[in-house]
């Protein structure tokens, strides 16, 4: 799961959302430096990643990208699943439009700017200005996000191949997402069942 899914799986609680968003940037036991709800979000992020990376449905999606991305195929699947979540948002979050949700995420990030890791501070202005989370819903926005990742990480620069693979196998990837997302949401709901929205 990528940024949008992690945020959407945070029970609409701002502390958990913040922790889930920064989870990749907080290593080892450094999560203990944060408030209880943020700690919950960081640890939840790790559990979501572990559940996702080891699930057979996600592995099946990853096989479609192995030729172009090798060991990074799972990263691209995470991005594709965020695309489907964004494009089908009303199905999974019928009470809050995607644009409104993304604006709330931006407020949470800005209010906590001085509490987040340095790498998050660096990417936040670009993420907010481009409304990247919202634009995962279309191919152009997804392509931009993949290109940004390729420029700033060790991800291979094969965006055209990724988009072509998504286009050619769209219904299959979509069916994988539709089968998988309720399962990860069920796991999360059990994991943080006592966390209420704020």
């Amino acid at each position: 799961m990528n940024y949008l899914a992690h945020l959407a799986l945070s029970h609409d609680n701002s502390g958990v959302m913040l922790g889930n968003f920064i989870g990749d940037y907080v290593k080892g036991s450094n999560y203990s430096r944060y408030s209880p709800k943020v700690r919950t979000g960081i640890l939840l992020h790790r559990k979501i990643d572990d559940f996702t990376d080891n699930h057979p449905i996600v592995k099946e999606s990853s096989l479609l990208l192995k030729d172009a991305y090798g060991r990074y195929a799972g990263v691209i699947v995470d991005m594709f699943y965020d695309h489907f979540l964004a494009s089908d948002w009303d199905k999974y979050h019928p009470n809050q439009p995607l644009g409104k949700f993304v604006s709330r995420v931006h407020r949470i990030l800005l209010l906590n700017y001085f509490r987040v890791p340095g790498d998050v501070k660096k990417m936040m202005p670009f993420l907010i200005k481009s409304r990247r989370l919202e634009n995962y819903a279309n191919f152009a926005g997804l392509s931009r996000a993949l290109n940004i990742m390729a420029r700033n990480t060790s991800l291979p620069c094969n965006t055209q191949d990724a988009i072509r693979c998504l286009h050619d196998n769209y219904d299959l990837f979509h069916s994988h997402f539709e089968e998988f997302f309720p399962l990860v949401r069920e796991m999360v709901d059990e994991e943080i069942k006592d966390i209420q929205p704020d």
Side-chain angles (χ1 to χ4, degrees):
M1 301 275 93
N2 202 50
Y3 291 126
L4 184 62
H6 278 288
L7 290 159
L9 291 167
S10 296
H11 279 202
D12 211 24
N13 181 282
S14 56
V16 177
M17 290 168 79
L18 180 64
N20 217 338
F21 185 82
I22 67 173
D24 278 335
Y25 301 90
V26 180
K27 304 304 180 187
S29 62
N30 288 340
Y31 70 90
S32 62
R33 301 174 183 175
Y34 292 89
S35 66
K37 292 285 174 56
V38 177
R39 284 200 304 264
T40 295
I42 294 167
L43 294 175
L44 179 64
H45 182 106
R46 295 175 184 181
K47 288 179 179 173
I48 291 169
D49 281 356
D50 184 63
F51 183 87
T52 302
D53 293 345
N54 291 293
H55 202 282
I57 295 170
V58 178
K59 288 182 177 180
E60 192 175 340
S61 286
S62 296
L63 284 174
L64 297 167
L65 289 151
K66 279 291 183 191
D67 288 345
Y69 280 97
R71 66 190 178 96
Y72 294 96
V75 176
I76 307 304
V77 171
D78 287 347
M79 299 286 285
F80 286 2
Y81 284 12
D82 260 18
H83 162 73
F84 293 118
L85 178 58
S87 59
D88 294 345
W89 184 261
D90 292 344
K91 176 178 177 180
Y92 298 101
H93 282 267
N95 299 321
Q96 189 175 37
L98 179 58
K100 186 175 179 181
F101 179 82
V102 169
S103 293
R104 179 171 183 233
V105 168
H106 292 169
R107 284 193 300 275
I108 291 167
L109 293 177
L110 290 170
L111 286 169
N112 291 279
Y113 181 80
F114 293 105
R115 299 173 60 202
V116 301
D119 287 343
V120 179
K121 287 188 178 83
K122 289 177 189 174
M123 57 94 85
M124 269 174 52
F126 305 103
L127 179 126
I128 291 171
K129 184 177 180 182
S130 68
R131 295 192 68 86
R132 188 187 310 168
L133 299 174
E134 199 171 354
N135 285 316
Y136 283 146
N138 58 68
F139 274 30
L142 183 61
S143 295
R144 281 193 299 274
L146 287 167
N147 283 328
I148 289 167
M149 286 184 69
R151 281 198 306 270
N152 295 292
T153 70
S154 56
L155 184 75
C157 188
N158 293 332
T159 298
Q160 287 184 334
D161 290 338
I163 296 299
R164 188 181 305 113
C165 183
L166 176 59
H167 183 271
D168 292 347
N169 300 280
Y170 197 84
D171 290 342
L172 182 56
F173 279 120
H174 196 190
S175 68
H176 288 172
F177 170 77
E178 288 186 314
E179 188 177 357
F180 175 71
F181 193 71
L183 300 176
V184 70
R185 188 158 66 176
E186 182 181 343
M187 182 277 290
V188 167
D189 288 348
E190 181 59 31
E191 194 68 35
I192 59 168
K193 59 188 172 188
D194 297 326
I195 300 289
Q196 299 300 315
D198 55 15

